[in-house]
Amino acid sequence: MLSIRPLTLTGPTRPRRGLIRLGLVVALGLAAVASAIAAPPSDADINRLLAASRAQTMLDSMLPQIEAMQRQQFQQVAQQRQLDAQQQEQMKRMEARTTQTIRQALSWQQLRPMYVDLYKKSFSKEDVLAMAEFYESSAGQSLLDKTPALMQNVMVAIQEKMQPLFVDLQKDLEEIMNEKPAPAKK
């Protein structure tokens, strides 16, 4: 017959117990380090990054472009319709209200909390600090200084690349418009 003896923690099993404890301590230590590394950034960390990356300045420089697009849309509507003087005045008031609404909605005061929240959701503290250090460096400042010219050059290059496509599209549209409709079947 087999006999089952109770497990005792003496003899050769004692070193195993110590190894298991050591393994648990190491695992817990690594988990603590990993969670510290992936810690969310603080508001101060994100504000540092936003200042270094000139986020407010970039937003402020976009507003005139958005307003110009809005003005263009209002002008197109006015050109498509024959507006009398009263309607033109109403259109101007509507455009002014829309401009004010856009300026308010896209103000730094309104958007900064959104930026902070989105950066917290998207990046770790380590990421934010690394980006802030980069943008504070001379290379980061150079990138920020040259980005507007880069974007302008990209837009010109895209327009040049798209121009032949638009010419072909215009030809296709003219062909379609000049086609005679097929006679209706009886």
Side-chain angles (χ1 to χ4, degrees):
M1 243 184 162
L2 287 171
S3 67
I4 300 177
R5 289 188 287 170
L7 181 63
T8 59
L9 297 177
T10 59
T13 58
R14 184 165 268 185
R16 284 190 192 154
R17 185 174 172 198
L19 287 175
I20 291 172
R21 270 193 189 157
L22 178 62
L24 286 173
V25 168
V26 169
L28 288 173
L30 289 175
V33 169
S35 68
I37 291 173
S42 68
D43 287 7
D45 297 331
I46 294 170
N47 287 331
R48 176 183 168 197
L49 172 59
L50 293 175
S53 65
R54 304 178 195 165
Q56 182 177 358
T57 303
M58 285 196 291
L59 177 66
D60 290 346
S61 70
M62 286 175 24
L63 279 172
Q65 295 170 8
I66 293 169
E67 289 173 354
M69 289 179 357
Q70 174 205 336
R71 255 190 318 278
Q72 200 172 35
Q73 289 175 337
F74 274 98
Q75 288 171 353
Q76 287 175 350
V77 169
Q79 289 172 356
Q80 292 170 354
R81 296 181 171 85
Q82 296 296 324
L83 302 178
D84 61 31
Q86 183 181 1
Q87 290 171 323
Q88 288 177 3
E89 190 57 39
Q90 287 175 329
M91 185 83 103
K92 285 180 184 177
R93 284 195 306 270
M94 188 183 305
E95 182 180 345
R97 265 195 317 246
T98 304
T99 298
Q100 182 61 30
T101 300
I102 289 171
R103 279 195 168 268
Q104 212 168 12
L106 298 180
S107 72
W108 184 244
Q109 182 180 6
Q110 292 290 321
L111 291 183
R112 193 194 70 71
M114 180 194 73
Y115 271 80
V116 171
D117 184 52
L118 292 173
Y119 274 75
K120 278 184 180 180
K121 289 177 182 176
S122 303
F123 300 106
S124 70
K125 181 179 186 81
E126 184 179 67
D127 293 335
V128 169
L129 294 177
M131 287 186 283
E133 286 177 20
F134 170 73
Y135 283 119
E136 290 168 343
S137 73
S138 60
Q141 291 296 301
S142 178
L143 173 69
L144 291 171
D145 291 341
K146 294 174 182 173
T147 295
L150 171 67
M151 295 313 296
Q152 183 65 35
N153 291 335
V154 166
M155 290 306 296
V156 168
I158 288 173
Q159 287 174 347
E160 289 173 359
K161 188 164 189 69
M162 296 300 292
Q163 190 61 34
L165 299 174
F166 288 134
V167 170
D168 290 344
L169 179 61
Q170 182 67 33
K171 287 178 187 175
D172 291 345
L173 285 172
E174 287 176 16
E175 286 177 15
I176 290 170
M177 297 303 288
N178 291 330
E179 286 180 3
K180 293 184 181 182
K185 294 182 181 179
K186 293 182 182 180

